[in-house]
């Protein structure tokens, strides 16, 4: 058991992202968008070696399922480039596992999607998705903290 635990701790980000992407349900997890939580968390807040490439692939897979031409992929690359300016933005040393940074990341994306095809149904769906992602961010990151300890 002691030999398996470190391996599982290393594979946890990859397994969680894959699981949340495969757990795609229209209302609760459309196109596997919940995997944006571990993508953001393990890329910006608690960086894992070689996870950025994995995250980029899964952002592309979310775009593929949503029929969006590289939307989340480009937004992820933009935030990854902005994160390079560690003097001004430092997600690793913020409170609450950088939930406000995640809300900005997802909020910008959902806002752009909302204004691109504005209807009242689209507005309500996107607001629900933003609230749902923001609520689930804390338990998923707390799960990681519990597993690491």
């Amino acid at each position: 058991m002691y030999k398996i635990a470190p391996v599982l701790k290393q594979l946890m980000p990859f397994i969680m992202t894959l699981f949340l992407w495969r757990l795609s349900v229209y209302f609760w997890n459309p196109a596997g968008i919940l995997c944006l939580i571990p993508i953001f968390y393990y890329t910006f807040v608690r960086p894992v070696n070689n996870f950025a490439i994995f995250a980029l692939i899964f952002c592309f897979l979310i775009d593929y399922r949503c029929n969006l031409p590289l939307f989340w992929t480009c937004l992820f690359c933009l935030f990854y480039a902005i994160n390079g300016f560690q003097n001004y933005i430092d997600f690793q040393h913020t409170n609450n596992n950088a939930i406000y940074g995640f809300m900005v990341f997802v909020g910008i994306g959902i806002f752009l999607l909302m204004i691109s095809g504005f209807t009242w149904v689209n507005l309500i769906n996107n607001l629900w998705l933003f609230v749902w992602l923001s609520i689930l961010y804390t338990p998923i990151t707390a799960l990681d903290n519990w597993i690491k300890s």
Side-chain angles (χ1 to χ4, degrees):
M1 181 66 180
Y2 293 108
K3 294 179 182 179
I4 296 173
V7 173
L8 287 176
K9 286 180 183 179
Q10 290 294 325
L11 293 177
M12 173 69 178
F14 302 98
I15 293 170
M16 186 184 298
T17 304
L18 184 62
F19 176 74
L20 288 174
W21 182 74
R22 289 290 298 158
L23 189 69
S24 179
V25 179
Y26 174 72
F27 185 72
W28 300 106
N29 188 11
I33 202 159
L34 283 180
C35 76
L36 286 177
I37 295 170
I39 285 172
F40 181 85
Y41 184 72
Y42 292 115
T43 304
F44 301 120
V45 182
R46 303 278 184 262
V48 174
N49 293 337
N50 301 321
F51 188 77
I53 297 168
F54 187 76
L56 189 65
I57 291 169
F58 272 87
C59 285
F60 176 75
L61 290 174
I62 291 172
D63 290 336
Y64 178 73
R65 277 193 177 171
C66 291
N67 291 327
L68 297 170
L70 300 177
F71 178 76
W72 289 107
T73 307
C74 290
L75 190 64
F76 174 76
C77 290
L78 177 70
F79 264 73
Y80 194 77
I82 290 172
N83 191 43
F85 299 114
Q86 287 290 325
N87 295 338
Y88 303 108
I89 300 169
D90 191 10
F91 290 127
Q92 295 179 9
H93 297 99
T94 58
N95 296 334
N96 300 327
N97 292 325
I99 189 168
Y100 298 124
F102 176 73
M103 290 171 74
V104 168
F105 172 66
V106 171
I108 289 172
I110 289 177
F111 179 73
L112 291 174
L113 288 175
M114 190 169 34
I115 63 171
S116 68
F118 184 78
T119 61
W120 291 107
V121 173
N122 191 12
L123 173 75
I124 292 169
N125 283 339
N126 285 326
L127 286 175
W128 158 251
L129 189 61
F130 176 74
V131 169
W132 185 239
L133 283 168
S134 299
I135 289 171
L136 287 181
Y137 183 79
T138 303
I140 290 174
T141 56
L143 176 69
D144 174 66
N145 292 334
W146 179 72
I147 289 173
K148 297 282 182 181
S149 64

